[in-house]
Amino acid sequence: MSEHLGLDLWIKRDDLTGFAFGGNKGRKLEYLIPEIQASGAETVVTCGSLQSNFVRQLGAACRMIGVRCVAVVMELPFDGPAGKPDTTPLPLGGNARLGELFGIEFCIQEDGTWDRLFEQMDDEADRRRANGETVMVIPVGGSSVAGAYSFMKAGEELGAGFDAVVTASSSGSTQVGLAYHFAGTSTEVIGVACDPEPELPQDLSDLALRLDDAVGKGARLSPEDFHFPLDWVGPGYGVPSDKGQAAFEALMQLEGIPLDPVYSAKAFSGLIDMAADGRVKGRVCFWHTGGLPSLLALPVHG
Ligand SMILES: *Cc1c(COP(=O)(O)O)cnc(C)c1O
């Protein structure tokens, strides 16, 4: 693949982190789970799509510590301005099936915007509190300060000497943690958008400032510090793209490494195009965030 792209490609295999089928969310849970335990909550409420990788791994972790996991989900949350992508109903299986096996309580909502889903999550938490349950709400994708902190630590693991790190970005704490770690170095972090949300760099900056308040390194990242290209989202969040499918085939054929259709295949399609036009060059790390269970649920083409 390095020869194919004309650069020195490295791949960080977070698809192989291992816990409950692996992926980037295992890193966040390393720090989120102690917070849940310290809170004394008996129930955790989160939200996401039905094929959320975070929900799957959170559910497995909650099972281990004896906490109930409630996931307020939609089949396909979509962004208001961009509208709902045109797609046939997405089949079950993949993460939805694993979540069921792991004992997650799904509250399935009608498809709508992310903002509506966040409200429905808060309503579900309030309803349970009113019933006397102690509840902790975990934001979508585990993108709290703890989640971002885990990817700051992950950046330390990678070390220096890369011209660029390219990864998929959606709820944002993966990109925030990496960008925070590499701030002020010669390593550029590019988070390829998997959600058509041009306003996300503001959220990324807000989370980075909260991370800095906690860590105290003094790196104050503004929205402009986040490279968040929207060019490879395809039909929309959660719907496979043709370019992603081509990227999947290329990496499978040359290296035998699978990508997932919702995140990593879109990010890798971005890397392929950015290598072709010289936007990235030299020693480049593709941060493979995992997500492979959804390969067993979604159709190949959008
Ligand atoms: C959640 C997820 C991402 C995006 O990470 P964020 O921290 O939410 O931006 C990328 N790839 C996969 C496979 C994921 O599950």
Side-chain angles (χ1 to χ4, degrees):
M1 186 49 92
S2 288
E3 280 170 33
H4 183 72
L5 297 176
L7 44 74
D8 180 18
L9 179 71
W10 292 64
I11 302 184
K12 183 71 167 159
R13 298 293 305 274
D14 271 7
D15 54 322
L16 302 180
T17 49
F19 178 68
F21 289 86
N24 64 337
K25 304 310 183 312
R27 289 187 183 273
K28 304 185 192 187
L29 289 165
E30 223 178 303
Y31 297 94
L32 286 166
I33 290 301
E35 284 187 349
I36 295 168
Q37 287 178 302
S39 79
E42 53 193 329
T43 302
V44 154
V45 178
T46 193
C47 70
S49 76
L50 196 49
Q51 284 301 329
S52 165
N53 297 298
F54 177 63
V55 167
R56 177 232 321 152
Q57 288 189 282
L58 175 67
C62 283
R63 191 71 182 261
M64 286 172 63
I65 60 167
V67 167
R68 182 184 297 118
C69 181
V70 177
V72 179
V73 297
M74 292 181 187
E75 190 180 86
L76 199 65
F78 59 90
D79 179 65
K84 186 173 175 176
D86 204 12
T87 177
T88 49
L90 302 173
L92 301 178
N95 285 311
R97 173 76 181 125
L98 291 172
E100 194 180 23
L101 285 170
F102 296 170
I104 297 167
E105 285 181 33
F106 285 106
C107 305
I108 300 180
Q109 314 288 330
E110 235 177 73
D111 288 356
T113 63
W114 286 106
D115 283 342
R116 210 185 98 205
L117 189 63
F118 301 157
E119 281 167 23
Q120 288 163 326
M121 168 177 70
D122 290 337
D123 290 349
E124 180 65 23
D126 288 344
R127 203 179 59 74
R128 288 174 178 268
R129 286 190 187 108
N131 281 340
E133 277 176 59
T134 51
V135 177
M136 182 169 175
V137 171
I138 307 279
V140 67
S143 281
S144 64
V145 170
Y149 182 84
S150 76
F151 268 91
M152 180 197 83
K153 301 299 279 182
E156 290 171 11
E157 206 175 282
L158 187 67
F162 287 93
D163 295 293
V165 175
V166 177
T167 191
S169 191
S170 173
S171 73
S173 50
T174 300
Q175 184 175 2
V176 165
L178 292 173
Y180 184 79
H181 170 70
F182 287 108
T185 74
S186 57
T187 303
E188 181 189 10
V189 175
I190 302 173
V192 176
C194 298
D195 215 341
E197 287 196 65
E199 69 285 5
L200 200 76
Q202 184 62 53
D203 297 348
L204 298 176
S205 165
D206 292 346
L207 182 57
L209 294 178
R210 286 164 57 214
L211 176 63
D212 191 53
D213 291 341
V215 173
K217 189 167 92 170
R220 309 297 286 176
L221 300 181
S222 65
E224 297 73 49
D225 292 318
F226 289 94
H227 306 283
F228 181 72
L230 291 154
D231 313 59
W232 295 282
V233 172
Y237 173 79
V239 181
S241 68
D242 290 343
K243 280 197 165 184
Q245 175 59 19
F248 174 90
E249 276 163 19
L251 193 63
M252 239 354 249
Q253 203 173 334
L254 293 170
E255 305 287 354
I257 298 175
L259 295 163
D260 85 288
V262 179
Y263 300 100
S264 54
K266 290 180 181 179
F268 201 76
S269 73
L271 198 164
I272 291 173
D273 286 352
M274 289 188 283
D277 67 15
R279 169 74 178 80
V280 293
K281 42 169 114 55
R283 191 158 176 246
V284 174
C285 174
F286 176 68
W287 202 292
H288 191 328
T289 44
L292 300 179
S294 66
L295 257 183
L296 307 179
L298 298 185
V300 176
H301 292 281

